[in-house]
Every structure is written in structure tokens, then in C-alpha cells.
């Protein structure tokens, strides 16, 4: 349920609505807007005496949110949410930040070289896995805490924000300590205990769509993080599995405008995992920006042929540099911009 206040509602009238929600045994969530304040109600609103609340001074209307993902829906919040993971790195507004780097952190030289190349090309955030969920237990699993320390070193040298994945609660604590944004990978999109836990850590969360997940599933997973009091959730389209083996996944560009209609949360696109093929990454990244993506997450490695993971989908540095130039042109054509660090 959402209580929409009148534009001239006083703070005491808003407080009175919150007090009544508490009196009925629920938790209020005031959401100040540019013109008016709305007060959300967390819990089973079927048990709420909404007619009484509707009659309180300053109340304009009471809306019953129909979507199962309440806080993630546009019914709950009409204005688009802007998530800032570090000073100047914002997702959800007119800017389209580019997050890039290798699939995994392999060495100090590799990650520092990657970070310098990302910064020089115009990226604003560095990606790189310290913990790597791999299909095979014998594949490279990442450097763990050492990888996080190297990412922090790269941030100190270049100023890039850090986006990296957490696989469990212990890892999430470490990622929250070293990084600017906690990524939840496709395999963990429906790990609800982990989602609840990262929701309590106070760090922005980038939530990737599961390999067989619907958009409804993705938004319900985001709801777990939001329900713990963390409003800073960035969704990520990274492709879903289909019967066609021509590409690694089916990169679902339609998810971008669909999510924008259903939810106020920003959504970024990952064409690297979405296609799994280097020559497909650039055209799909261009298409994602044209479709309205709020950011691009793309893999780039100084020497993809020597990468310990996902080298086949990683761009060469010169390819990444050219991609940023192209994305700037496309973003400008639709009234947006690709930011750079000051």
C-alpha cells in the first residue's frame, strides 16, 4: 500500500500517517519527492484499515500496489532511482557509466594495467572477480582476499570505482570492505539468504539476471535487498540460456525497456556474458545504449588470449577504446552522455 500525501502536506500530517501505520502493526517508509511525499507500508496490506488512513489530514489518496515486488515497482515510486556507487559514478540518470575490466583478477600487473586502460579509454568503474563461481571445480576460482586488495590498489592508483562479486555472506563482508558495489552473479540471483544479507550491509548492489530467470523473478530478487532497507540496487541484463548454441546466451535487449516500465530501478547491460563472443560484444553494447541501458558492463583484458577465464569474450584494449567512442556518440543522439572521471 502507498499513501500519497497532498503537495502542501505538513511534516506533522506526514508523521500522523506514519504513527497510524505503526499503530496498526506495520512499518511505514516515508519517501519524500520533489512535489509531494509518499508513505509506503511494509507488510500484508490486506489487513490494513486503509479507509481510515485515507481520511487523515494531508492524505491525497491511498494506492494498493498490485505487483508482488512492491518496493521495486513504479507503482511504489514513480521517479527513477539514481544509484551512486562512488562520487561521480551514478546509474539511472542521464549518464551512462561504463564499467570494464577483466573477468578475474589474476595478478597485480594485470589488474593495474587493466585499470589504467579502462581509465584512459573513459571508463568510470573497474570490474574484476576476486571470487569466481565456475562451472568446473578445477577452473580458476579467483584470488579471494588478495584479489580484493589488488582491486583496492587499482582504485587508489586510478580513482576508478570497484564492482566485484560476492558468492556468500563471508565473501560479501570482504567485498563490502574493499569495493564500492557488491555484485550478485547470475548463479546467486535467487540465493535469498545472500540477498537479504547484502541488503543489510549498506553498499550498492548490482544484481544480475539469472540464466533462466524471468524479469518478474529478477524484480522479486531485487525486492529481497530493498526489503532490508537498502534502496541502492542496480539490475543487470546478462542474457538467458536458450536452445540456440550460436551464442553463449540470448542477450535480451527487450528487458531494458520492460524493466524501465515496471520498475524505478536502473538497469545496466552486460553484452560480454550476454553473447560470450568478442566480435558480438561491441554491436550489442551499442544496441543496449540505444535501448536505454543505464550503464554498460563489459569485459576487457590486456591480453585476452592469456586470460585465466572468459578470454574469448574479453575485448582487447584498443577495441574497448573504440567502443567507448562509439557509445558516446549513441548516448548523445538519445539525449544522454557517457561520463568520465574528473
Amino acid at each position: 500500500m502507498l499513501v500519497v500525501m497532498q503537495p502542501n502536506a505538513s511534516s506533522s500530517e506526514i508523521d500522523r500517517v506514519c504513527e497510524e501505520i505503526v499503530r496498526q502493526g506495520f512499518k511505514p517508509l516515508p519517501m519524500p519527492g520533489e512535489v509531494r511525499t509518499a508513505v509506503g507500508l511494509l507488510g500484508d496490506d490486506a489487513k490494513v484499515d486503509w479507509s481510515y488512513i485515507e481520511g487523515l489530514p494531508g492524505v491525497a489518496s491511498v494506492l494498493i500496489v498490485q505487483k508482488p515486488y512492491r518496493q521495486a515497482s513504479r507503482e511504489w515510486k514513480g521517479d527513477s532511482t539514481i544509484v551512486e556507487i562512488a562520487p561521480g559514478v551514478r546509474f539511472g540518470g542521464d549518464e551512462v557509466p561504463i564499467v570494464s575490466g577483466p573477468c578475474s583478477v589474476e595478478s597485480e600487473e594485470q589488474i593495474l594495467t587493466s585499470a589504467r586502460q579502462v581509465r584512459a579509454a573513459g571508463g568510470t568503474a573497474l570490474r574484476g572477480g576476486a571470487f569466481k563461481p565456475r562451472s568446473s571445480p578445477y577452473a580458476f576460482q579467483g584470488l579471494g582476499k588478495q584479489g580484493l586488495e589488488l582491486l583496492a590498489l587499482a582504485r587508489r592508483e586510478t580513482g576508478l570505482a570497484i564492482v566485484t562479486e560476492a558468492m556468500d555472506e563471508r565473501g560479501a563482508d570482504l567485498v563490502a570492505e574493499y569495493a564500492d558495489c557488491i555484485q550478485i552473479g547470475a548463479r546467486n540471483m535467487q540465493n535469498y539468504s545472500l540477498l537479504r544479507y547484502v541488503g543489510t550491509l549498506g553498499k550498492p548492489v548490482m544484481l544480475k539476471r539469472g540464466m533462466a530467470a524471468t524479469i518478474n523473478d529478477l524484480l522479486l530478487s531485487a525486492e529481497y535487498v530493498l526489503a532490508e532497507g537498502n534502496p541502492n540496487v542496480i539490475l543487470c541484463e546478462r542474457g538467458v540460456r536458450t536452445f540456440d548454441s550460436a551464442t553463449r546466451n540470448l542477450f535480451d535487449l527487450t528487458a531494458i525497456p520492460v524493466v524501465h516500465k515496471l520498475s524505478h530501478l536502473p538497469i545496466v547491460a552486460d553484452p560480454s556474458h550476454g553473447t560470450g563472443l568478442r566480435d558480438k560484444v561491441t554491436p550489442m553494447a551499442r544496441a543496449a545504449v540505444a535501448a536505454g541501458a543505464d550503464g554498460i558492463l563489459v569485459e576487457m583484458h590486456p591480453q585476452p588470449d592469456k586470460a585465466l577465464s572468459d578470454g574469448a569474450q574479453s575485448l582487447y584494449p584498443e577495441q574497448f577504446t573504440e567502443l567507448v567512442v562509439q557509445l558516446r556518440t549513441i548516448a548523445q543522439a538519445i539525449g544522454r552522455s557517457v561520463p568520465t572521471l574528473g
Side-chain angles (χ1 to χ4, degrees):
M1 189 179 78
L2 196 65
V3 182
V4 181
M5 305 299 296
Q6 296 173 356
N8 60 350
S10 66
S11 57
S12 61
E13 289 172 335
I14 296 170
D15 291 342
R16 176 70 186 88
V17 170
C18 293
E19 290 169 2
E20 177 57 28
I21 291 173
V22 171
R23 188 190 70 79
Q24 293 195 32
F26 299 90
K27 180 180 178 181
L29 183 64
M31 295 175 286
E34 293 184 6
V35 178
R36 66 179 77 205
T37 293
V39 182
L41 182 147
L42 301 180
D44 182 6
D45 56 20
K47 303 176 182 178
V48 178
D49 184 0
W50 60 267
S51 60
Y52 179 81
I53 294 176
E54 194 171 32
L56 292 174
V59 174
S61 62
V62 174
L63 303 177
I64 305 300
V65 179
Q66 300 297 327
K67 298 290 190 298
Y69 43 88
R70 299 187 182 188
Q71 294 187 63
S73 77
R74 280 226 183 255
E75 294 174 356
W76 183 272
K77 181 184 178 186
D79 297 332
S80 296
T81 291
I82 297 176
V83 178
E84 186 171 41
I85 67 170
V89 186
R90 294 178 290 269
F91 298 84
D94 293 332
E95 295 179 336
V96 185
I98 298 176
V99 183
S100 186
C103 175
S104 58
V105 181
E106 301 167 2
S107 67
E108 179 176 329
E109 179 182 2
Q110 174 248 17
I111 198 62
L112 288 179
T113 299
S114 299
R116 295 181 192 116
Q117 291 168 339
V118 170
R119 172 69 190 259
T124 53
L126 177 68
R127 59 146 296 142
F131 302 100
K132 294 302 301 179
R134 306 297 299 278
S135 298
S136 169
Y138 308 112
F140 178 62
Q141 305 289 314
L143 298 178
K145 184 179 179 181
Q146 180 188 358
L148 292 175
E149 292 170 345
L150 293 176
L151 286 169
L153 175 63
R155 177 176 53 200
R156 289 196 298 273
E157 179 169 316
T158 64
L160 295 169
I162 301 299
V163 178
T164 190
E165 183 172 353
M167 293 171 53
D168 52 34
E169 293 184 7
R170 179 176 174 275
D173 286 330
L174 287 171
V175 171
E177 179 181 350
Y178 285 94
D180 299 288
C181 181
I182 303 172
Q183 177 184 303
I184 301 298
R187 292 172 176 84
N188 274 318
M189 189 208 78
Q190 291 178 306
N191 184 341
Y192 300 128
S193 61
L194 178 60
L195 295 176
R196 286 189 184 278
Y197 188 75
V198 297
T200 68
L201 296 179
K203 282 278 185 176
V205 174
M206 182 176 290
L207 178 62
K208 286 198 165 189
R209 183 179 180 181
M211 290 178 278
T214 65
I215 293 173
N216 190 71
D217 293 335
L218 175 63
L219 293 172
L220 281 170
S221 290
E223 193 76 11
Y224 274 87
V225 182
L226 297 170
E228 295 301 320
N230 185 350
N232 296 311
V233 178
I234 305 163
L235 305 175
C236 180
E237 169 56 41
R238 49 82 67 207
V240 292
R241 284 192 174 169
T242 69
F243 55 85
D244 194 343
S245 60
T247 58
R248 180 176 179 179
N249 294 294
L250 173 67
F251 190 42
D252 185 9
L253 283 176
T254 59
I256 296 168
V258 168
V259 164
H260 280 155
K261 181 178 180 180
L262 296 175
S263 176
H264 55 87
L265 298 175
I267 179 169
V268 303
D270 177 358
S272 298
H273 286 91
T275 64
L277 299 169
R278 183 181 301 117
D279 63 336
K280 305 298 187 297
V281 171
T282 291
M284 297 314 294
R286 295 189 302 230
V289 171
D294 297 306
I296 296 295
L297 185 69
V298 63
E299 290 187 359
M300 183 277 296
H301 193 288
Q303 297 177 295
D305 53 323
K306 296 183 179 180
L308 296 182
S309 57
D310 284 348
Q313 66 189 35
S314 299
L315 297 180
Y316 287 91
E318 58 272 20
Q319 291 176 314
F320 175 67
T321 299
E322 176 60 23
L323 173 62
V324 175
V325 173
Q326 295 175 5
L327 295 184
R328 282 206 178 97
T329 301
I330 296 169
Q332 185 177 9
I334 59 174
R336 304 182 79 179
S337 64
V338 173
T340 56
L341 293 178

